[in-house]
């Protein structure tokens, strides 16, 4: 199973993360940053979960396996920020 993690910046140091299975929202939580939201999702034990489609606002880092989310949440966050900046202009 692959879920979707959508992260939106509310204000500096305040991010909203939502987890979806298709269009169904499974949960929402706050985090102090993008990497923290990724780290929190990666720490949730779900045996059938392979990974997440990881979004930050309007950009997607792709489908990220759980192992990568656990090992490198900061790198994934940096990639999202780079994509976000490149698209935003």
């Amino acid at each position: 199973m692959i879920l979707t993690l959508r992260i939106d910046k509310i204000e500096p140091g305040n991010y909203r993360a939502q987890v979806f299975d298709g269009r169904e929202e499974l949960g929402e939580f706050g985090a102090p940053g993008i990497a923290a939201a990724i780290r929190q999702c990666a720490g949730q034990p779900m045996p059938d979960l392979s990974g997440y489609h990881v979004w930050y606002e309007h950009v997607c880092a792709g489908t990220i396996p759980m192992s990568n989310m656990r090992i490198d949440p900061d790198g994934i966050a940096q990639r999202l920020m780079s994509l976000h900046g490149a698209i935003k202009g």
Side-chain angles (χ1 to χ4, degrees), residues 1 5 7 9 19 31 35 38-39 42 45 53-54 68 80 85 88:
M1 171 173 49
L5 170 61
I7 305 165
K9 183 178 181 179
V19 177
I38 294 167
R39 195 174 290 111
H53 303 295
V54 181
N68 290 19
L80 284 164
K88 200 169 185 180

Side-chain angles (χ1 to χ4, degrees), residues 56-59 78-89:
Y56 171 56
E57 296 188 353
H58 58 276
V59 296
Q78 285 290 32
R79 184 169 36 167
L80 284 164
M81 289 300 296
S82 293
L83 289 168
H84 187 267
I87 292 174
K88 200 169 185 180

Side-chain angles (χ1 to χ4, degrees), residues 19-68:
V19 177
F20 293 90
D21 183 0
R23 292 182 179 211
E24 179 185 356
E25 184 176 335
L26 301 178
E28 180 177 319
F29 61 93
I34 298 169
I38 294 167
R39 195 174 290 111
Q40 190 167 339
C41 275
Q44 299 301 314
M46 292 181 71
D48 295 336
L49 185 60
S50 303
Y52 285 86
H53 303 295
V54 181
W55 288 81
Y56 171 56
E57 296 188 353
H58 58 276
V59 296
C60 183
T63 304
I64 311 294
M66 292 298 292
S67 59
N68 290 19

